[in-house]
Amino acid sequence: MNWNSLLLRSTMGFIILFFLGYLVPGLSALTITHLIIVSLLLAFLSTVGENIIIADTRAKKSILLLVVSAVTVYFYAWVIVGTRLPVVSVLLTTALITLLDHLFTAQNENSVTVEEE
């Protein structure tokens, strides 16, 4: 299991969900405790999913992260919190999480290749 990826995704998930809770309708129902739990849950499930499915390219990892985080946020809010979030809000949030994860992963891979040369 890649602990750096897990930590990065959970931190990004929390920050994005926290700030978009003020801007996007429906996400304000998630309290700080719920945000911590859902961000850790989506990071854990996406990291485990990468290991099970063996996502070897960045595109596969990004698609898997998008799907897992969308399902996690939507069903967590629906089952645990009791709020049905708008699908557009969930997709916007998870797309932002996926985009930032993709950019950080690309930056880390580029820095590793530059150091090796």
Side-chain angles (χ1 to χ4, degrees):
M1 181 176 285
N2 188 354
W3 293 102
N4 291 332
S5 175
L6 185 97
L7 182 65
L8 178 70
R9 287 180 182 166
S10 63
T11 305
M12 281 191 311
F14 176 79
I15 292 170
I16 290 169
L17 286 168
F18 182 78
F19 286 119
L20 288 182
Y22 292 106
L23 302 173
V24 178
L27 290 177
S28 62
L30 299 174
T31 62
I32 298 290
T33 308
H34 291 299
L35 291 177
I36 292 170
I37 293 170
V38 77
S39 64
L40 289 173
L41 188 62
L42 74 88
F44 176 75
L45 291 176
S46 63
T47 304
V48 169
E50 283 180 5
N51 292 334
I52 291 174
I53 296 178
I54 306 172
D56 50 352
T57 64
R58 271 191 271 151
K60 288 181 183 178
K61 290 179 183 181
S62 295
I63 291 170
L64 182 68
L65 177 63
L66 179 72
V67 171
V68 168
S69 59
V71 168
T72 303
V73 170
Y74 184 78
F75 283 114
Y76 182 87
W78 185 30
V79 173
I80 304 297
V81 179
T83 304
R84 294 197 64 169
L85 298 177
V87 175
V88 175
S89 301
V90 172
L91 290 176
L92 173 70
T93 304
T94 57
L96 194 55
I97 292 170
T98 304
L99 178 68
L100 288 177
D101 181 70
H102 185 76
L103 293 175
F104 278 116
T105 306
Q107 181 183 8
N108 287 340
E109 287 179 3
N110 288 339
S111 67
V112 169
T113 56
V114 168
E115 288 176 3
E116 289 176 356
E117 294 176 359

